[in-house]
Amino acid sequence: MGRRKVEIKRIENKSSRQVTFSKRRKGLIEKARQLSVLCESSIAVLVVSGSGKLYNSASGDNMSKIIDRYEIQRADELKALDLAEKIRNYLPHKELLEIVQSVDSLISMEEQLETALSVIRAKKTELMMEEVKSLQETEMLLREENQILASHSQLGKNKKKKHLYIIKSCIISTLQKKQKLFSCIVKEF
């Protein structure tokens, strides 16, 4: 007949709990001794009962040597963890530095774009002013032509009116173009 499986939960009966604690503690210490013999290892077992009583067992080396080795190894592990934490904290600083450098390069690019935009605006203004000057010269020529046509009285009334109408249309068109250019220049500034 085999053993029945014990459910792992707190034992409510105090005397049964104490008996189980004692048996399992002895079994745990025996297993630790066997492991030490089989694998040539140093093993320390510390058990504290529910009432606060301390039980210990060491096999291989004595308890103090095992605890000293544990403390040395634990200190090394803590130093390694501390170093890993510092490295983790350093990485965000490195990323932040990269972001700052990229912001600096963006600021530099923005300044270059503003300079280029100023040059383009100046060139555009210059071209518009040349266009305005050209339109003013055309207007002057049309006015002179209009005066010449008006002074020629040998033309018939209909022809004269027709020529005056054409000249007037050209002048109005020229003035409208000039007005649009000036409004564009004003908008730019």
Side-chain angles (χ1 to χ4, degrees):
M1 209 164 146
R3 289 182 170 179
R4 66 183 172 97
K5 189 169 184 175
V6 177
E7 185 180 351
I8 304 296
K9 67 175 187 174
R10 185 175 187 272
I11 299 171
E12 297 299 327
N13 186 333
K14 189 174 184 176
S15 63
S16 295
R17 186 170 52 236
Q18 184 60 38
V19 169
T20 302
F21 174 77
S22 180
K23 287 181 180 178
R24 289 192 176 233
R25 176 180 47 85
K26 287 178 186 174
L28 178 64
I29 291 172
E30 179 58 26
K31 289 288 183 182
R33 187 191 64 73
Q34 290 172 4
L35 180 64
S36 172
V37 171
L38 289 171
C39 300
E40 290 187 31
S41 58
S42 297
I43 296 178
V45 178
L46 293 173
V47 180
V48 180
S49 70
S51 62
K53 189 171 180 186
L54 178 68
Y55 300 92
N56 65 13
S57 172
S59 54
D61 288 335
N62 67 20
M63 180 69 80
S64 62
K65 284 184 180 179
I66 295 172
I67 290 175
D68 288 343
R69 278 198 313 214
Y70 170 77
E71 287 175 346
I72 291 169
Q73 185 173 349
R74 182 72 179 146
D76 290 343
E77 289 173 359
L78 288 175
K79 286 178 187 176
L81 285 173
D82 187 42
L83 181 61
E85 183 67 28
K86 286 180 181 177
I87 289 172
R88 256 194 315 256
N89 288 338
Y90 171 73
L91 288 178
H93 296 302
K94 184 179 178 184
E95 291 170 359
L96 185 62
L97 182 62
E98 290 172 357
I99 290 170
V100 167
Q101 289 172 345
S102 66
V103 167
D104 288 342
S105 67
L106 287 174
I107 290 171
S108 173
M109 287 172 58
E110 181 183 25
E111 290 171 353
Q112 291 173 357
L113 285 173
E114 285 177 357
T115 303
L117 188 60
S118 296
V119 169
I120 290 170
R121 283 184 178 153
K123 185 66 175 176
K124 183 178 179 182
T125 303
E126 181 184 330
L127 291 173
M128 290 178 135
M129 294 304 281
E130 287 174 6
E131 183 68 26
V132 168
K133 187 176 178 181
S134 170
L135 288 172
Q136 286 175 337
E137 289 172 359
T138 306
E139 181 186 10
M140 288 293 276
L141 289 174
L142 289 172
R143 285 184 189 261
E144 288 174 7
E145 194 175 314
N146 189 23
Q147 287 176 354
I148 292 171
L149 288 173
S151 66
H152 288 91
S153 59
Q154 67 252 48
L155 291 175
K157 281 188 173 181
N158 288 339
K159 283 187 175 182
K160 190 175 182 182
K161 281 184 182 179
K162 188 176 178 184
H163 283 292
L164 286 175
Y165 178 75
I166 292 171
I167 292 171
K168 185 178 177 183
S169 297
C170 289
I171 291 172
I172 290 172
S173 173
T174 304
L175 289 174
Q176 288 174 344
K177 287 180 183 178
K178 236 172 42 173
Q179 193 174 27
K180 284 182 183 178
L181 280 174
F182 280 122
S183 66
C184 286
I185 292 172
V186 170
K187 284 180 186 177
E188 287 293 321
F189 296 102

